[in-house]
């Protein structure tokens, strides 16, 4: 069983287990009744600080001196900023150093900690919350800007596609009109040749008939057209269309399509105002702003 507590969590004297002892040794961290407190204090192997239970832990727990293990660190060396014992004061290491009571140092330290706690909770933490909120707004603005840029790019793409489709549509129309004009000329020449072929075929048939009949009358009536047929029609030379183009100049294409401005992030120093009796001026870092280009 724990000598300080029963099964019902009743506080007991560390030495005699008397219930609800009214005293407490801050150094040894044990409960003591009035009967046992004298015996405990007489133990001179170390310092004892006995206080009423309601004030327990109101005093710091002294640490043992690393240099003089039988002593407790009851002082604080201002120059070395470490706890020391009484014997350390006279040592060569701490000679001529300022030593103050550890309790006084603890109170001063507690006030500094309390000031830190108050500043962190009331000023610094809300300021960081505000900064975090600003970053969330910046992220939202960045997302919105990205969506607007993508929308603008898609619109630009549609504009270019429309213009390119217009150029292609005009070229197709020109090709089809050219083909139609050429076909008209070729058809006319084809009809003329076919008519001549028909006439030549008829003339061949007539000649064979005359030669087979030995009819002097038909022979005398025959009129030769060979001279006419020897004049061959002019040869039509059709110059077919071709499609020529230049290599795409990507640099010029990018210039005409559009470009993005360079992304830059600048850092602007925030001014943190810390007003104290010793310093009533804002704290800030006067370094120049930095420019980061991504």
């Amino acid at each position: 069983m724990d000598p300080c507590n029963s099964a019902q969590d009743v506080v007991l004297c560390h030495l005699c287990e008397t219930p609800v002892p009214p005293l407490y040794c801050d150094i040894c961290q044990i409960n003591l009744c009035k009967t046992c407190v004298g015996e405990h204090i007489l133990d001179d192997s170390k310092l004892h600080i006995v206080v009423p239970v309601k004030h327990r832990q109101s005093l710091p727990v002294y640490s043992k001196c690393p240099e003089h293990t039988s002593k407790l660190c009851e002082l604080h060396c201002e120059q070395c900023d470490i706890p020391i014992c009484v014997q350390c004061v006279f040592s060569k290491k701490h000679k001529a150093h300022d030593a103050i009571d550890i309790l006084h140092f603890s109170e001063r330290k507690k006030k500094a900690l309390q000031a830190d706690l108050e500043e962190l909770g009331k000023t610094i933490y809300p300021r960081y919350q505000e900064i975090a909120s600003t970053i969330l707004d910046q992220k939202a603005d960045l997302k919105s800007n990205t969506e607007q840029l993508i929308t603008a790019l898609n619109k630009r793409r549609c504009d270019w596609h429309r213009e390119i489709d217009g150029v292609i549509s005009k070229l197709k129309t020109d090709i089809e009109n050219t083909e139609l004009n050429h076909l008209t000329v070729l058809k006319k020449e084809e009809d003329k040749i076919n008519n001549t072929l028909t006439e030549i075929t008829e003339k061949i048939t007539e000649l064979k008939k005359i030669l087979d009949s030995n009819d002097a009358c038909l022979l005398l009536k025959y009129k030769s057209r060979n001279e006419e047929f020897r004049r061959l029609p002019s040869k039509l030379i059709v110059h077919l269309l071709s499609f020529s183009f230049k290599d795409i100049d990507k640099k010029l294409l990018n210039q005409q399509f559009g470009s993005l401005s360079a992304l830059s992030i600048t850092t602007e120093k925030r001014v943190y105002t810390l007003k104290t009796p010793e310093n009533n001026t804002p704290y800030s870092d006067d370094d120049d702003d930095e420019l980061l280009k991504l």
Side-chain angles (χ1 to χ4, degrees):
M1 181 178 68
D2 189 333
C4 296
N5 298 282
S6 68
Q8 290 77 31
D9 293 331
V10 175
V11 179
L12 302 176
C13 174
H14 181 76
L15 299 181
C16 69
E17 298 190 2
T18 299
V20 194
L23 303 173
Y24 183 81
C25 180
D26 266 332
I27 301 299
C28 301
Q29 297 184 332
I30 61 173
N31 298 293
L32 297 166
C33 67
K34 292 180 179 180
T35 303
C36 297
V37 68
E39 178 185 352
H40 182 70
I41 293 176
L42 289 176
D43 177 10
D44 60 359
S45 62
K46 58 183 176 179
L47 177 69
H48 299 285
I49 298 179
V50 178
V51 297
V53 170
K54 64 180 180 179
H55 297 309
R56 64 181 293 181
Q57 294 182 349
S58 59
L59 298 177
V61 176
Y62 293 99
S63 59
K64 287 185 178 182
C65 178
E67 300 292 334
H68 311 96
T69 55
S70 63
K71 302 294 183 180
L72 296 175
C73 295
E74 304 172 33
L75 301 172
H76 184 269
C77 179
E78 294 286 85
Q79 281 74 13
C80 300
D81 194 24
I82 59 172
I84 60 175
C85 71
V86 176
Q87 193 170 340
C88 289
V89 177
F90 303 101
S91 66
K92 182 178 180 180
K93 184 178 180 180
H94 299 283
K95 189 176 182 179
H97 286 188
D98 295 326
I100 62 172
D101 184 79
I102 196 73
L103 297 180
H104 176 70
F105 173 78
S106 297
E107 288 300 319
R108 190 176 68 186
K109 195 71 174 179
K110 284 183 180 179
K111 288 181 180 179
L113 294 178
Q114 186 63 39
D116 279 359
L117 177 61
E118 184 173 349
E119 183 186 9
L120 286 171
K122 294 183 178 180
T123 307
I124 296 179
Y125 185 79
R127 189 74 177 92
Y128 273 87
Q129 284 183 313
E130 179 184 339
I131 293 172
S133 177
T134 301
I135 292 177
L136 290 177
D137 292 340
Q138 290 175 327
K139 289 170 66 177
D141 291 342
L142 180 61
K143 182 178 181 181
S144 176
N145 183 69
T146 298
E147 292 174 350
Q148 291 176 10
L149 288 175
I150 292 176
T151 299
L153 286 175
N154 288 333
K155 183 179 182 302
R156 184 66 168 163
R157 178 177 62 183
C158 291
D159 292 343
W160 274 48
H161 282 180
R162 184 169 54 252
E163 293 298 326
I164 292 173
D165 289 344
V167 171
I168 293 174
S169 178
K170 182 179 182 306
L171 289 174
K172 284 183 176 180
T173 300
D174 292 344
I175 292 172
E176 291 169 353
N177 289 337
T178 301
E179 180 189 19
L180 181 61
N181 292 335
H182 282 179
L183 285 175
T184 300
V185 173
L186 291 174
K187 183 67 170 59
K188 182 177 180 182
E189 186 67 13
E190 182 184 27
D191 291 343
K192 182 178 178 181
I193 297 298
N194 288 334
N195 289 334
T196 301
L197 286 172
T198 301
E199 292 177 356
I200 292 173
T201 301
E202 291 175 351
K203 188 56 73 172
I204 291 173
T205 302
E206 180 184 358
L207 284 171
K208 288 180 178 181
K209 182 179 179 182
I210 294 173
L211 291 174
D212 291 339
S213 65
N214 289 322
D215 188 334
C217 185
L218 292 177
L219 191 63
L220 292 174
K221 288 182 178 180
Y222 172 74
K223 299 292 184 182
S224 176
R225 294 184 62 186
N226 281 23
E227 182 67 28
E228 176 187 347
F229 292 142
R230 291 190 190 104
R231 296 192 294 270
L232 299 177
S234 301
K235 181 180 180 180
L236 291 181
I237 300 176
V238 178
H239 297 283
L240 299 177
L241 293 178
S242 63
F243 177 61
S244 61
F245 57 89
K246 296 180 179 180
D247 291 338
I248 296 176
D249 188 335
K250 292 184 179 180
K251 184 177 181 180
L252 181 60
L253 181 66
N254 288 333
Q255 291 176 352
Q256 292 180 336
F257 186 84
S259 60
L260 295 173
S261 60
L263 172 63
S264 65
I265 300 178
T266 59
T267 59
E268 180 180 329
K269 300 300 180 183
R270 290 187 174 92
V271 176
Y272 174 70
T273 304
L274 176 61
K275 294 183 178 181
T276 64
E278 295 80 10
N279 179 18
N280 197 36
T281 59
Y283 167 80
S284 66
D285 190 343
D286 295 329
D287 292 342
D288 294 336
D289 289 354
E290 299 177 42
L291 178 63
L292 305 177
K293 289 189 176 181
L294 303 181

